[in-house]
Amino acid sequence: MKKRLTKIALAASLLSMPAVVGANEYTSLFAVEGGYNKVSADVTESGQMFSVQDSKLGSAGLKLGAQGENFRVFLSARYYDAEDFSKLDTLGAEVEYLFHFSKPVSFFLSANAGKAFMKVGSKPYYASVSTNEYYYGGGAGFNVTVTDLIDVEVGARYIDLDSEVTQGTATYKFNSITSAYGSIIFKWQMD
C-alpha cells in the first residue's frame, strides 16, 4: 500500500509542476549540484546484523526546472560515488517554496520524490543485491541571487528509502540518504 501511495504522489507531483509554478510568467532553470551524503543501510545475514553506512559519499547532479514568484520545481538526476555501494543513482522531482527575506536572499523548504537505483554488497561477507526503490523526503536551505542569470543554493536534504530486499540468506534494509549540497543555478526567461 505504501509503495502504491508513493507512486501516486510521485505521478501527481510531476503532473502538477506547471500548476505549482502557476502564472504565465516563469523563469527556466538549469542547475549543477555537488553534495556530501550519508547513506544508512543494514544487512542481516544468518541472524547477524551489519550496518552499512558510508559518510564519505560524494554526489553530482543535474536539475532542470522552472520558477514562479515563490515556487521552484525541478526534475533531478544524481550520481553518488560510494565505495560500499557499487551503484547508487536517483531520478526524481522536487518542489521548493521560497521565503524572500531580502532581494538577494531566500530561505526555502522542499519536498522530493523519485526512484533510487541501488546495488550494494561487500564480498566475502555477504552477497550483493540490486534494487530500484521509490523514495520521498524533504529539505531546507538558502538561495542567494548572484546576478539576474545566476543563483547559488546551499541546503540539506533527507531521502527516506524504507525498503527491504532479501537475497539468499541476506536481508538488506535501506533506510535513508542524508545530504548537504550546493548548487549553481542558471536562469533564463522563456518567451
Side-chain angles (χ1 to χ4, degrees):
M1 179 69 163
K2 183 177 177 182
K3 286 186 179 186
R4 185 175 298 145
L5 290 175
T6 304
K7 287 179 187 178
I8 292 169
L10 177 60
S13 67
L14 290 173
L15 293 173
S16 66
M17 281 187 182
V20 171
V21 173
N24 296 330
E25 199 171 306
Y26 65 91
T27 303
S28 296
L29 307 171
F30 175 76
V32 178
E33 177 184 301
Y36 183 77
N37 311 275
K38 179 180 177 183
V39 176
S40 173
D42 300 313
V43 181
T44 305
E45 184 162 5
S46 303
Q48 188 172 10
M49 181 181 278
F50 303 92
S51 182
V52 180
Q53 293 187 351
D54 192 350
S55 58
K56 298 177 182 174
L57 199 88
S59 65
L62 299 175
K63 300 190 289 191
L64 184 62
Q67 176 178 336
E69 185 175 339
N70 293 320
F71 283 97
R72 279 187 173 164
V73 291
F74 288 106
L75 295 177
S76 62
R78 288 184 192 84
Y79 163 78
Y80 296 81
D81 181 27
E83 292 179 13
D84 286 345
F85 287 77
S86 16
K87 177 182 176 182
L88 176 54
D89 302 314
T90 58
L91 291 174
E94 301 169 31
V95 178
E96 295 179 356
Y97 185 81
L98 301 165
F99 300 90
H100 302 287
F101 291 125
S102 66
K103 187 167 176 85
V105 179
S106 300
F107 174 75
F108 67 86
L109 294 175
S110 67
N112 59 62
K115 196 162 194 176
F117 304 90
M118 300 174 282
K119 181 178 180 183
V120 65
S122 180
K123 296 176 183 175
Y125 303 110
Y126 43 88
S128 64
V129 65
S130 295
T131 184
N132 303 326
E133 296 294 333
Y134 289 99
Y135 70 82
Y136 61 92
F142 289 94
N143 184 80
V144 178
T145 301
V146 179
T147 70
D148 288 341
L149 302 176
I150 297 175
D151 282 6
V152 174
E153 181 177 276
V154 293
R157 180 184 302 112
Y158 177 81
I159 293 175
D160 183 25
L161 297 169
D162 194 28
S163 68
E164 198 169 288
V165 179
T166 300
Q167 182 169 317
T169 60
T171 300
Y172 294 78
K173 179 156 177 37
F174 299 99
N175 302 313
S176 63
I177 303 171
T178 308
S179 307
Y181 69 92
S183 298
I184 298 173
I185 302 171
F186 302 95
K187 306 180 290 187
W188 69 95
Q189 197 72 36
M190 295 294 284
D191 291 332

